[in-house]
Amino acid sequence: MSNRTWRGHWWDPNYPENSFPGTLHCDESGDLRLELIGGFDFSVREIVPGITGYRVHRENRDIEIMHGVSGNERFTLLSSSPTHTSGPGIFDGNIAKQDWRPNRALRGVHLESVNSPIFIRAHLQLERLIHWSGQTAFSFTIEDDKEGSRKRRLEKVPVEPSNVEHKEMTVSLRILANNLRYDDRIIVNERVAGGREWAVLTCTPKSPAACMDFDQIQKDLQDLLTLSSYNPCGALSRSLAYEAGERVREVEVMGRQIYRTPPSSRKPSGEMILSLSDVNFIDIVPKWLDLKDRVRTGCNILFGLRYIEKGYIGTRLLGVATAAESMHSALRSATSPIPRSEYRRLKKKILEAIADEDEGLISFVKMGLRNNPTYNERMLELASIPDSASVDLLLGDRQEWATALRRSRNDLAHANERSSNGVETSQAFHLMEVTYALLCLVLLSELGVSPEVQRRAVEENARISFLSGEYRNGLIT
Protein backbone atom coordinates (compact mmCIF):
# COMPACT_ATOMS: atom_id res chain seq x y z
CA MET A 1 0.00 0.00 0.00
CA SER A 2 1.49 3.34 -1.07
CA ASN A 3 1.20 6.71 0.67
CA ARG A 4 -2.25 8.27 0.25
CA THR A 5 -3.67 11.74 0.84
CA TRP A 6 -7.13 13.29 1.08
CA ARG A 7 -7.75 17.04 0.92
CA GLY A 8 -10.88 18.36 2.55
CA HIS A 9 -12.38 20.11 5.58
CA TRP A 10 -12.15 18.92 9.19
CA TRP A 11 -14.00 19.84 12.37
CA ASP A 12 -14.83 18.86 15.93
CA PRO A 13 -18.46 17.58 15.80
CA ASN A 14 -19.15 19.45 19.06
CA TYR A 15 -18.35 22.71 17.21
CA PRO A 16 -19.29 22.06 13.56
CA GLU A 17 -19.18 25.78 12.75
CA ASN A 18 -15.35 25.73 13.17
CA SER A 19 -14.24 23.89 10.04
CA PHE A 20 -10.66 24.03 8.71
CA PRO A 21 -9.20 23.04 5.34
CA GLY A 22 -6.46 20.46 5.51
CA THR A 23 -4.92 17.24 4.23
CA LEU A 24 -5.03 13.77 5.77
CA HIS A 25 -1.97 11.63 5.06
CA CYS A 26 -1.73 7.84 5.47
CA ASP A 27 1.68 6.32 4.79
CA GLU A 28 2.56 2.76 3.89
CA SER A 29 2.88 1.66 7.51
CA GLY A 30 -0.58 3.06 8.34
CA ASP A 31 0.66 6.15 10.22
CA LEU A 32 -1.85 9.00 10.02
CA ARG A 33 -1.13 12.72 9.95
CA LEU A 34 -3.59 15.59 9.55
CA GLU A 35 -2.23 18.96 8.43
CA LEU A 36 -4.69 21.83 8.92
CA ILE A 37 -4.62 25.35 7.53
CA GLY A 38 -5.65 27.23 10.65
CA GLY A 39 -6.56 25.15 13.67
CA PHE A 40 -8.41 24.71 16.92
CA ASP A 41 -7.82 27.35 19.58
CA PHE A 42 -6.99 25.75 22.95
CA SER A 43 -6.11 29.01 24.68
CA VAL A 44 -7.11 29.26 28.34
CA ARG A 45 -7.63 32.73 29.81
CA GLU A 46 -7.30 33.11 33.58
CA ILE A 47 -8.14 36.31 35.48
CA VAL A 48 -5.14 37.53 37.49
CA PRO A 49 -6.21 38.60 41.01
CA GLY A 50 -5.41 42.19 41.99
CA ILE A 51 -4.83 43.57 38.49
CA THR A 52 -6.92 44.36 35.46
CA GLY A 53 -6.26 41.72 32.85
CA TYR A 54 -5.83 38.01 32.41
CA ARG A 55 -3.16 35.38 31.83
CA VAL A 56 -3.24 33.33 28.60
CA HIS A 57 -1.73 29.88 28.20
CA ARG A 58 -2.34 26.93 25.97
CA GLU A 59 -3.45 23.44 26.96
CA ASN A 60 -3.07 20.78 24.33
CA ARG A 61 -5.91 18.29 24.45
CA ASP A 62 -6.87 15.30 22.40
CA ILE A 63 -10.05 15.29 20.35
CA GLU A 64 -11.75 11.93 20.74
CA ILE A 65 -13.73 12.26 17.51
CA MET A 66 -13.04 14.55 14.56
CA HIS A 67 -15.10 14.60 11.37
CA GLY A 68 -13.98 15.37 7.86
CA VAL A 69 -15.09 15.35 4.22
CA SER A 70 -12.97 14.96 1.11
CA GLY A 71 -15.04 15.16 -2.04
CA ASN A 72 -17.98 12.86 -1.36
CA GLU A 73 -16.09 10.76 1.18
CA ARG A 74 -16.71 11.05 4.91
CA PHE A 75 -14.06 10.48 7.57
CA THR A 76 -14.06 9.95 11.32
CA LEU A 77 -10.71 10.42 13.05
CA LEU A 78 -10.37 8.78 16.47
CA SER A 79 -8.18 9.90 19.41
CA SER A 80 -6.37 12.71 17.59
CA SER A 81 -3.45 14.39 19.40
CA PRO A 82 -2.05 17.80 18.42
CA THR A 83 1.64 17.69 17.55
CA HIS A 84 2.37 21.21 16.30
CA THR A 85 0.69 24.62 16.23
CA SER A 86 2.13 27.77 14.67
CA GLY A 87 0.97 31.25 13.74
CA PRO A 88 1.64 34.94 14.35
CA GLY A 89 -0.74 35.10 17.31
CA ILE A 90 -1.51 31.62 18.53
CA PHE A 91 -2.45 32.89 21.98
CA ASP A 92 -5.06 35.14 20.37
CA GLY A 93 -6.50 32.39 18.18
CA ASN A 94 -4.52 33.53 15.11
CA ILE A 95 -3.32 30.07 14.06
CA ALA A 96 -1.73 29.55 10.65
CA LYS A 97 -1.05 25.82 10.80
CA GLN A 98 -1.82 22.90 13.07
CA ASP A 99 -0.75 19.24 12.80
CA TRP A 100 -2.56 16.29 14.35
CA ARG A 101 -1.78 12.62 14.87
CA PRO A 102 -4.97 10.51 14.74
CA ASN A 103 -4.74 7.04 16.26
CA ARG A 104 -7.25 5.64 13.77
CA ALA A 105 -9.34 6.83 10.84
CA LEU A 106 -12.60 5.41 9.53
CA ARG A 107 -13.07 6.20 5.86
CA GLY A 108 -16.72 6.17 4.87
CA VAL A 109 -18.66 7.15 7.99
CA HIS A 110 -19.30 9.95 10.48
CA LEU A 111 -19.52 8.36 13.93
CA GLU A 112 -21.46 10.15 16.64
CA SER A 113 -19.44 8.36 19.33
CA VAL A 114 -16.55 5.93 19.47
CA ASN A 115 -18.99 3.58 21.23
CA SER A 116 -21.72 3.81 18.57
CA PRO A 117 -22.93 0.20 18.02
CA ILE A 118 -23.64 0.37 14.29
CA PHE A 119 -21.27 -2.14 12.68
CA ILE A 120 -22.70 -5.50 11.62
CA ARG A 121 -19.41 -7.17 10.64
CA ALA A 122 -15.67 -6.65 10.25
CA HIS A 123 -13.32 -7.94 7.56
CA LEU A 124 -9.65 -8.73 8.09
CA GLN A 125 -6.94 -9.67 5.61
CA LEU A 126 -3.74 -11.06 7.11
CA GLU A 127 -0.35 -11.85 5.67
CA ARG A 128 0.04 -15.55 4.75
CA LEU A 129 -3.68 -16.21 5.32
CA ILE A 130 -4.40 -17.88 1.97
CA HIS A 131 -1.29 -20.05 2.31
CA TRP A 132 -2.38 -21.05 5.83
CA SER A 133 -5.83 -21.99 4.51
CA GLY A 134 -4.45 -24.39 1.90
CA GLN A 135 -7.43 -23.57 -0.35
CA THR A 136 -7.80 -22.12 -3.83
CA ALA A 137 -10.63 -20.81 -6.00
CA PHE A 138 -8.67 -21.48 -9.21
CA SER A 139 -9.18 -24.56 -11.35
CA PHE A 140 -6.92 -25.15 -14.37
CA THR A 141 -7.95 -28.03 -16.65
CA ILE A 142 -6.73 -29.47 -19.93
CA GLU A 143 -9.32 -31.27 -22.08
CA ASP A 144 -9.12 -33.17 -25.39
CA ASP A 145 -11.73 -32.13 -27.94
CA LYS A 146 -13.21 -34.16 -30.78
CA GLU A 147 -10.62 -32.92 -33.25
CA GLY A 148 -7.78 -34.25 -31.15
CA SER A 149 -6.50 -30.91 -29.93
CA ARG A 150 -6.22 -29.92 -26.30
CA LYS A 151 -8.13 -27.08 -24.69
CA ARG A 152 -6.98 -25.35 -21.55
CA ARG A 153 -9.41 -23.70 -19.19
CA LEU A 154 -8.94 -21.49 -16.13
CA GLU A 155 -12.07 -21.27 -14.02
CA LYS A 156 -13.24 -19.95 -10.70
CA VAL A 157 -14.63 -22.73 -8.54
CA PRO A 158 -16.81 -22.04 -5.51
CA VAL A 159 -15.10 -22.50 -2.16
CA GLU A 160 -17.58 -22.82 0.66
CA PRO A 161 -16.81 -20.47 3.56
CA SER A 162 -15.84 -22.01 6.88
CA ASN A 163 -17.92 -20.64 9.76
CA VAL A 164 -17.53 -21.07 13.49
CA GLU A 165 -19.25 -19.40 16.44
CA HIS A 166 -17.38 -18.23 19.51
CA LYS A 167 -19.23 -16.50 22.30
CA GLU A 168 -21.12 -13.59 20.68
CA MET A 169 -19.19 -13.66 17.39
CA THR A 170 -19.20 -15.75 14.21
CA VAL A 171 -15.83 -16.05 12.49
CA SER A 172 -15.76 -16.95 8.80
CA LEU A 173 -12.92 -17.78 6.42
CA ARG A 174 -13.68 -17.00 2.79
CA ILE A 175 -11.61 -17.48 -0.38
CA LEU A 176 -12.43 -14.85 -3.00
CA ALA A 177 -11.31 -14.50 -6.62
CA ASN A 178 -11.82 -12.18 -9.57
CA ASN A 179 -10.41 -11.12 -12.95
CA LEU A 180 -9.95 -14.68 -14.15
CA ARG A 181 -9.06 -15.05 -17.81
CA TYR A 182 -7.40 -17.47 -20.17
CA ASP A 183 -6.87 -16.70 -23.86
CA ASP A 184 -5.23 -19.13 -26.26
CA ARG A 185 -3.98 -16.76 -28.96
CA ILE A 186 -2.81 -19.30 -31.48
CA ILE A 187 -2.25 -16.95 -34.40
CA VAL A 188 -0.07 -14.50 -32.49
CA ASN A 189 1.85 -17.24 -30.69
CA GLU A 190 0.63 -16.32 -27.20
CA ARG A 191 -1.25 -17.68 -24.22
CA VAL A 192 -2.53 -15.22 -21.63
CA ALA A 193 -3.67 -16.39 -18.19
CA GLY A 194 -4.43 -14.35 -15.11
CA GLY A 195 -6.53 -13.89 -12.03
CA ARG A 196 -6.42 -12.84 -8.40
CA GLU A 197 -7.56 -14.63 -5.27
CA TRP A 198 -7.32 -13.73 -1.62
CA ALA A 199 -8.53 -14.90 1.78
CA VAL A 200 -10.65 -12.89 4.21
CA LEU A 201 -11.59 -13.44 7.83
CA THR A 202 -15.00 -11.98 8.68
CA CYS A 203 -16.22 -11.42 12.24
CA THR A 204 -19.99 -11.04 12.61
CA PRO A 205 -21.47 -10.18 16.03
CA LYS A 206 -24.95 -11.30 17.02
CA SER A 207 -25.98 -7.66 17.33
CA PRO A 208 -24.40 -4.45 15.93
CA ALA A 209 -21.20 -3.50 17.73
CA ALA A 210 -18.87 -0.53 18.15
CA CYS A 211 -15.72 -0.29 16.06
CA MET A 212 -13.44 -1.09 19.03
CA ASP A 213 -15.40 -4.27 19.84
CA PHE A 214 -13.64 -6.08 16.99
CA ASP A 215 -10.10 -5.18 18.08
CA GLN A 216 -9.40 -8.04 20.45
CA ILE A 217 -10.71 -10.90 18.31
CA GLN A 218 -8.89 -9.55 15.25
CA LYS A 219 -5.66 -9.26 17.23
CA ASP A 220 -6.13 -12.82 18.52
CA LEU A 221 -6.63 -14.13 14.97
CA GLN A 222 -3.48 -12.27 13.92
CA ASP A 223 -1.59 -14.01 16.74
CA LEU A 224 -2.90 -17.39 15.53
CA LEU A 225 -1.35 -16.74 12.11
CA THR A 226 1.88 -15.58 13.77
CA LEU A 227 2.00 -18.80 15.80
CA SER A 228 1.16 -20.98 12.80
CA SER A 229 3.66 -19.44 10.40
CA TYR A 230 6.40 -18.92 13.01
CA ASN A 231 6.72 -15.46 11.51
CA PRO A 232 5.11 -12.12 12.37
CA CYS A 233 1.92 -11.71 10.34
CA GLY A 234 0.65 -8.18 9.81
CA ALA A 235 -2.84 -6.97 8.92
CA LEU A 236 -3.03 -6.09 5.24
CA SER A 237 -6.44 -4.44 5.45
CA ARG A 238 -9.32 -3.96 7.86
CA SER A 239 -12.84 -2.82 7.13
CA LEU A 240 -16.24 -2.55 8.80
CA ALA A 241 -19.78 -2.70 7.44
CA TYR A 242 -22.91 -0.91 8.59
CA GLU A 243 -26.46 -0.59 7.33
CA ALA A 244 -27.59 2.75 5.89
CA GLY A 245 -31.25 2.35 5.03
CA GLU A 246 -31.50 -0.63 2.72
CA ARG A 247 -27.84 -0.49 1.73
CA VAL A 248 -24.77 -1.94 3.43
CA ARG A 249 -21.82 0.42 3.34
CA GLU A 250 -18.17 -0.52 3.74
CA VAL A 251 -15.81 1.51 5.94
CA GLU A 252 -12.03 1.28 5.62
CA VAL A 253 -10.14 1.21 8.93
CA MET A 254 -6.82 3.02 8.77
CA GLY A 255 -4.14 3.39 11.40
CA ARG A 256 -0.71 2.20 12.39
CA GLN A 257 -0.44 -1.59 12.50
CA ILE A 258 1.33 -3.51 15.22
CA TYR A 259 3.36 -5.10 12.41
CA ARG A 260 3.56 -5.11 8.65
CA THR A 261 6.22 -6.89 6.60
CA PRO A 262 8.48 -4.32 4.87
CA PRO A 263 8.39 -4.46 1.04
CA SER A 264 12.06 -5.48 0.98
CA SER A 265 11.30 -8.56 3.13
CA ARG A 266 8.25 -9.94 1.33
CA LYS A 267 9.72 -13.33 0.54
CA PRO A 268 8.43 -16.55 2.12
CA SER A 269 10.64 -17.65 4.99
CA GLY A 270 10.44 -21.06 6.64
CA GLU A 271 7.78 -23.73 6.70
CA MET A 272 4.53 -23.15 8.55
CA ILE A 273 4.36 -25.15 11.74
CA LEU A 274 0.56 -25.35 11.57
CA SER A 275 -1.99 -24.95 8.78
CA LEU A 276 -5.52 -26.02 7.94
CA SER A 277 -4.11 -29.16 6.36
CA ASP A 278 -3.27 -30.22 9.94
CA VAL A 279 -6.40 -29.02 11.76
CA ASN A 280 -9.96 -27.95 10.96
CA PHE A 281 -10.88 -24.28 10.96
CA ILE A 282 -14.04 -24.92 12.97
CA ASP A 283 -11.98 -26.68 15.65
CA ILE A 284 -8.85 -24.58 15.87
CA VAL A 285 -10.41 -21.10 16.03
CA PRO A 286 -12.57 -21.55 19.17
CA LYS A 287 -9.81 -23.56 20.85
CA TRP A 288 -7.32 -20.81 20.12
CA LEU A 289 -9.58 -17.98 21.27
CA ASP A 290 -10.27 -19.83 24.54
CA LEU A 291 -6.57 -20.58 25.04
CA LYS A 292 -5.61 -16.98 24.28
CA ASP A 293 -8.03 -15.80 26.98
CA ARG A 294 -6.26 -18.08 29.48
CA VAL A 295 -2.69 -17.11 28.58
CA ARG A 296 -3.21 -13.58 27.26
CA THR A 297 -0.36 -11.90 29.15
CA GLY A 298 2.19 -14.57 28.27
CA CYS A 299 1.12 -14.62 24.62
CA ASN A 300 1.24 -10.84 24.35
CA ILE A 301 4.84 -10.86 25.59
CA LEU A 302 5.76 -13.83 23.41
CA PHE A 303 4.36 -12.59 20.11
CA GLY A 304 5.55 -9.07 20.86
CA LEU A 305 9.06 -10.48 20.44
CA ARG A 306 8.13 -11.36 16.85
CA TYR A 307 6.27 -8.18 15.98
CA ILE A 308 9.12 -6.02 17.34
CA GLU A 309 12.33 -7.92 16.65
CA LYS A 310 14.73 -5.08 17.38
CA GLY A 311 16.29 -4.64 20.79
CA TYR A 312 19.05 -5.86 23.07
CA ILE A 313 19.35 -9.63 23.30
CA GLY A 314 19.34 -9.48 27.09
CA THR A 315 16.06 -7.58 27.17
CA ARG A 316 14.47 -9.99 24.70
CA LEU A 317 15.76 -13.01 26.65
CA LEU A 318 14.22 -11.58 29.81
CA GLY A 319 10.97 -11.12 27.88
CA VAL A 320 10.76 -14.74 26.75
CA ALA A 321 11.70 -15.96 30.25
CA THR A 322 8.88 -13.83 31.68
CA ALA A 323 6.45 -15.11 29.06
CA ALA A 324 7.36 -18.68 30.04
CA GLU A 325 6.66 -18.04 33.73
CA SER A 326 3.37 -16.30 32.91
CA MET A 327 2.26 -19.17 30.68
CA HIS A 328 3.06 -21.75 33.31
CA SER A 329 1.11 -19.82 35.95
CA ALA A 330 -1.91 -19.67 33.61
CA LEU A 331 -1.77 -23.25 32.34
CA ARG A 332 -0.68 -25.05 35.50
CA SER A 333 -1.98 -22.82 38.28
CA ALA A 334 -2.68 -25.80 40.57
CA THR A 335 0.97 -26.87 40.68
CA SER A 336 2.54 -26.77 44.16
CA PRO A 337 5.55 -28.50 45.78
CA ILE A 338 3.38 -30.19 48.42
CA PRO A 339 -0.39 -30.87 48.46
CA ARG A 340 -2.38 -27.81 49.46
CA SER A 341 -4.06 -29.53 52.41
CA GLU A 342 -0.65 -30.61 53.73
CA TYR A 343 0.68 -27.05 53.24
CA ARG A 344 -2.19 -25.52 55.19
CA ARG A 345 -1.67 -28.03 58.02
CA LEU A 346 2.07 -27.35 58.11
CA LYS A 347 1.66 -23.56 58.07
CA LYS A 348 -0.90 -23.70 60.87
CA LYS A 349 1.50 -25.79 62.95
CA ILE A 350 4.36 -23.31 62.37
CA LEU A 351 2.20 -20.33 63.35
CA GLU A 352 1.07 -22.09 66.53
CA ALA A 353 4.70 -22.77 67.41
CA ILE A 354 5.65 -19.09 67.14
CA ALA A 355 2.47 -17.69 68.68
CA ASP A 356 4.46 -16.03 71.50
CA GLU A 357 6.73 -14.15 69.08
CA ASP A 358 6.21 -10.49 68.15
CA GLU A 359 3.70 -9.53 65.44
CA GLY A 360 6.43 -8.62 62.99
CA LEU A 361 7.85 -12.16 62.94
CA ILE A 362 4.40 -13.73 62.74
CA SER A 363 3.50 -11.44 59.85
CA PHE A 364 6.77 -12.35 58.14
CA VAL A 365 5.94 -16.06 58.30
CA LYS A 366 2.36 -15.49 57.14
CA MET A 367 3.45 -13.44 54.15
CA GLY A 368 6.75 -15.10 53.33
CA LEU A 369 5.90 -18.80 53.52
CA ARG A 370 4.63 -19.87 50.11
CA ASN A 371 3.73 -23.16 48.49
CA ASN A 372 4.85 -22.11 45.02
CA PRO A 373 7.16 -24.04 42.67
CA THR A 374 10.61 -22.67 41.92
CA TYR A 375 11.36 -21.18 38.52
CA ASN A 376 13.28 -24.33 37.55
CA GLU A 377 10.34 -26.52 38.53
CA ARG A 378 7.98 -24.32 36.51
CA MET A 379 10.18 -24.57 33.42
CA LEU A 380 10.60 -28.33 33.67
CA GLU A 381 6.84 -28.79 34.00
CA LEU A 382 6.30 -26.46 31.04
CA ALA A 383 8.74 -28.54 28.97
CA SER A 384 6.76 -31.68 29.85
CA ILE A 385 3.58 -30.39 28.16
CA PRO A 386 4.47 -30.86 24.45
CA ASP A 387 5.44 -34.08 22.72
CA SER A 388 8.47 -35.46 24.59
CA ALA A 389 10.46 -36.41 21.48
CA SER A 390 9.96 -32.92 20.03
CA VAL A 391 11.20 -31.27 23.22
CA ASP A 392 14.25 -33.56 23.41
CA LEU A 393 15.10 -32.72 19.81
CA LEU A 394 14.70 -29.00 20.51
CA LEU A 395 16.41 -28.63 23.90
CA GLY A 396 18.58 -31.64 24.50
CA ASP A 397 19.17 -31.63 28.28
CA ARG A 398 16.02 -30.08 29.80
CA GLN A 399 17.56 -29.51 33.20
CA GLU A 400 20.49 -27.67 31.68
CA TRP A 401 18.09 -25.50 29.64
CA ALA A 402 15.92 -24.67 32.68
CA THR A 403 18.97 -23.80 34.76
CA ALA A 404 20.43 -21.56 32.03
CA LEU A 405 17.13 -19.76 31.57
CA ARG A 406 16.62 -19.29 35.31
CA ARG A 407 20.14 -17.95 35.79
CA SER A 408 19.83 -15.54 32.86
CA ARG A 409 16.40 -14.38 33.99
CA ASN A 410 17.58 -13.70 37.55
CA ASP A 411 20.76 -11.91 36.43
CA LEU A 412 18.89 -9.68 34.00
CA ALA A 413 15.92 -8.97 36.28
CA HIS A 414 18.11 -8.07 39.25
CA ALA A 415 20.84 -6.37 37.19
CA ASN A 416 23.52 -8.66 38.60
CA GLU A 417 27.06 -7.96 37.48
CA ARG A 418 27.11 -11.45 36.05
CA SER A 419 24.43 -10.43 33.51
CA SER A 420 26.99 -8.32 31.61
CA ASN A 421 29.89 -10.73 32.03
CA GLY A 422 28.11 -14.06 31.64
CA VAL A 423 27.04 -15.95 28.53
CA GLU A 424 28.06 -14.77 25.09
CA THR A 425 25.53 -12.82 23.06
CA SER A 426 25.21 -15.70 20.59
CA GLN A 427 24.46 -18.16 23.40
CA ALA A 428 21.85 -15.80 24.86
CA PHE A 429 20.27 -15.46 21.42
CA HIS A 430 20.11 -19.23 20.94
CA LEU A 431 18.65 -19.68 24.44
CA MET A 432 15.99 -17.07 23.65
CA GLU A 433 15.12 -18.74 20.34
CA VAL A 434 14.76 -22.29 21.66
CA THR A 435 12.66 -21.00 24.56
CA TYR A 436 10.42 -19.16 22.10
CA ALA A 437 10.10 -22.36 20.06
CA LEU A 438 9.29 -24.39 23.17
CA LEU A 439 6.49 -21.99 24.13
CA CYS A 440 5.06 -22.35 20.63
CA LEU A 441 5.12 -26.13 21.07
CA VAL A 442 3.35 -25.70 24.41
CA LEU A 443 0.59 -23.70 22.70
CA LEU A 444 0.29 -26.29 19.92
CA SER A 445 0.00 -29.06 22.48
CA GLU A 446 -2.66 -27.17 24.45
CA LEU A 447 -4.58 -26.79 21.18
CA GLY A 448 -4.59 -30.56 20.75
CA VAL A 449 -2.19 -30.59 17.80
CA SER A 450 -0.76 -34.04 17.16
CA PRO A 451 2.79 -35.09 18.20
CA GLU A 452 3.59 -35.66 14.52
CA VAL A 453 2.90 -32.01 13.68
CA GLN A 454 4.94 -30.87 16.68
CA ARG A 455 7.92 -33.01 15.62
CA ARG A 456 7.61 -31.77 12.05
CA ALA A 457 7.80 -28.18 13.33
CA VAL A 458 11.15 -28.85 15.03
CA GLU A 459 12.59 -30.90 12.19
CA GLU A 460 11.37 -29.03 9.09
CA ASN A 461 11.03 -25.39 10.05
CA ALA A 462 14.38 -23.96 8.96
CA ARG A 463 14.65 -21.39 11.75
CA ILE A 464 13.78 -23.80 14.57
CA SER A 465 15.94 -26.61 13.22
CA PHE A 466 19.03 -24.46 12.68
CA LEU A 467 18.90 -22.48 15.92
CA SER A 468 18.11 -25.48 18.10
CA GLY A 469 21.15 -27.17 16.58
CA GLU A 470 23.28 -24.12 17.34
CA TYR A 471 21.95 -24.03 20.91
CA ARG A 472 22.73 -27.71 21.57
CA ASN A 473 26.19 -27.38 19.98
CA GLY A 474 26.87 -24.50 22.36
CA LEU A 475 26.04 -26.73 25.33
CA ILE A 476 28.51 -29.39 24.18
CA THR A 477 31.38 -26.95 23.70
Side-chain angles (χ1 to χ4, degrees):
M1 184 183 298
S2 59
N3 297 340
R4 297 180 292 167
T5 61
W6 295 269
R7 294 179 175 87
H9 285 78
W10 313 86
W11 64 93
D12 182 337
N14 295 315
Y15 307 98
E17 66 279 4
N18 295 328
S19 174
F20 302 98
T23 303
L24 177 66
H25 301 263
C26 181
D27 67 19
E28 188 174 10
S29 66
D31 270 344
L32 298 165
R33 187 177 78 259
L34 177 64
E35 297 178 343
L36 296 180
I37 300 174
F40 301 96
D41 182 14
F42 296 146
S43 298
V44 178
R45 292 166 173 80
E46 296 180 348
I47 296 176
V48 180
I51 65 173
T52 302
Y54 53 84
R55 180 188 298 114
V56 181
H57 63 90
R58 293 185 56 80
E59 287 186 353
N60 286 345
R61 63 176 176 84
D62 293 353
I63 296 182
E64 184 179 50
I65 284 188
M66 192 184 298
H67 286 172
V69 291
S70 176
N72 60 358
E73 291 188 299
R74 294 179 292 174
F75 289 82
T76 297
L77 310 184
L78 303 179
S79 300
S80 299
S81 303
T83 59
H84 176 74
T85 299
S86 62
I90 60 174
F91 291 109
D92 297 322
N94 191 359
I95 298 171
K97 179 182 177 181
Q98 195 171 68
D99 295 342
W100 290 80
R101 183 77 66 182
N103 181 56
R104 187 177 302 189
L106 304 181
R107 178 188 175 198
V109 68
H110 279 163
L111 282 185
E112 294 182 4
S113 164
V114 70
N115 296 315
S116 298
I118 67 169
F119 297 108
I120 58 175
R121 57 179 171 264
H123 305 297
L124 176 67
Q125 291 189 47
L126 294 171
E127 295 173 355
R128 297 181 172 87
L129 180 57
I130 198 166
H131 181 60
W132 180 72
S133 75
Q135 298 175 293
T136 181
F138 290 164
S139 174
F140 186 78
T141 58
I142 302 177
E143 300 175 350
D144 294 325
D145 63 13
K146 295 180 180 180
E147 299 177 355
S149 60
R150 313 191 84 181
K151 291 185 176 180
R152 296 167 177 80
R153 182 179 301 168
L154 180 64
E155 297 178 305
K156 175 183 175 181
V157 295
V159 179
E160 291 296 320
S162 300
N163 304 310
V164 63
E165 290 191 13
H166 182 263
K167 296 182 179 178
E168 298 298 312
M169 196 80 71
T170 298
V171 182
S172 305
L173 172 64
R174 296 179 298 146
I175 309 297
L176 307 175
N178 62 14
N179 299 330
L180 267 69
R181 62 186 181 125
Y182 181 86
D183 295 326
D184 205 347
R185 301 175 179 177
I186 298 174
I187 302 300
V188 296
N189 190 36
E190 288 181 354
R191 291 191 182 110
V192 179
R196 174 177 176 262
E197 67 173 343
W198 66 100
V200 178
L201 289 167
T202 299
C203 301
T204 306
K206 290 187 177 180
S207 57
C211 59
M212 302 297 187
D213 293 340
F214 299 96
D215 288 356
Q216 182 169 295
I217 191 169
Q218 289 188 335
K219 174 61 170 61
D220 290 346
L221 293 170
Q222 182 179 356
D223 287 347
L224 175 59
L225 265 292
T226 295
L227 168 67
S228 299
S229 66
Y230 208 69
N231 279 287
C233 289
L236 297 169
S237 71
R238 296 175 295 168
S239 63
L240 301 164
Y242 72 99
E243 293 177 335
E246 296 182 355
R247 296 183 60 185
V248 174
R249 297 186 180 273
E250 294 290 326
V251 174
E252 180 185 2
V253 180
M254 300 182 293
R256 183 166 183 81
Q257 304 296 313
I258 186 173
Y259 175 84
R260 181 173 288 168
T261 300
S264 59
S265 304
R266 288 176 184 169
K267 293 182 179 180
S269 55
E271 291 294 323
M272 282 203 167
I273 64 175
L274 183 69
S275 71
L276 293 189
S277 62
D278 306 309
V279 292
N280 292 322
F281 181 82
I282 60 174
D283 293 330
I284 197 65
V285 168
K287 285 182 179 179
W288 169 250
L289 295 176
D290 287 336
L291 178 61
K292 184 70 187 294
D293 278 341
R294 292 167 55 201
V295 293
R296 184 165 301 281
T297 299
C299 282
N300 288 345
I301 299 171
L302 184 71
F303 296 128
L305 296 172
R306 278 291 183 260
Y307 295 131
I308 305 174
E309 293 201 301
K310 295 181 180 179
Y312 291 110
I313 294 299
T315 305
R316 294 170 59 76
L317 178 56
L318 178 60
V320 78
T322 304
E325 186 173 22
S326 176
M327 281 193 182
H328 178 272
S329 297
L331 296 174
R332 297 295 184 267
S333 59
T335 297
S336 57
I338 60 176
R340 292 187 176 183
S341 58
E342 182 68 13
Y343 168 73
R344 287 192 293 269
R345 185 192 67 80
L346 179 61
K347 189 169 184 178
K348 181 181 178 181
K349 189 174 182 179
I350 293 172
L351 290 172
E352 289 174 350
I354 62 171
D356 57 344
E357 299 288 345
D358 61 69
E359 286 297 322
L361 180 60
I362 295 174
S363 178
F364 173 80
V365 173
K366 284 182 178 179
M367 300 298 295
L369 191 60
R370 291 285 184 268
N371 190 26
N372 297 328
T374 65
Y375 189 84
N376 264 46
E377 291 169 340
R378 289 182 185 277
M379 294 303 100
L380 291 173
E381 184 173 25
L382 203 61
S384 70
I385 294 176
D387 169 64
S388 181
S390 303
V391 175
D392 289 342
L393 185 61
L394 176 69
L395 300 180
D397 190 319
R398 301 184 190 190
Q399 181 64 62
E400 197 162 355
W401 162 79
T403 301
L405 187 63
R406 185 257 305 160
R407 183 182 294 116
S408 298
R409 172 250 196 189
N410 289 346
D411 289 346
L412 291 163
H414 300 295
N416 290 341
E417 192 65 28
R418 187 173 55 184
S419 64
S420 59
N421 299 322
V423 297
E424 297 289 337
T425 300
S426 60
Q427 292 176 299
F429 175 74
H430 297 150
L431 178 60
M432 177 193 71
E433 284 287 337
V434 295
T435 304
Y436 183 97
L438 174 70
L439 298 185
C440 289
L441 292 181
V442 169
L443 294 173
L444 294 183
S445 181
E446 290 291 305
L447 290 171
V449 175
S450 69
E452 291 75 21
V453 173
Q454 295 179 48
R455 284 196 293 272
R456 185 192 68 198
V458 179
E459 293 173 340
E460 298 184 12
N461 181 275
R463 181 168 182 169
I464 298 176
S465 177
F466 174 75
L467 291 174
S468 66
E470 291 295 296
Y471 165 75
R472 287 182 280 108
N473 289 339
L475 294 181
I476 294 173
T477 57

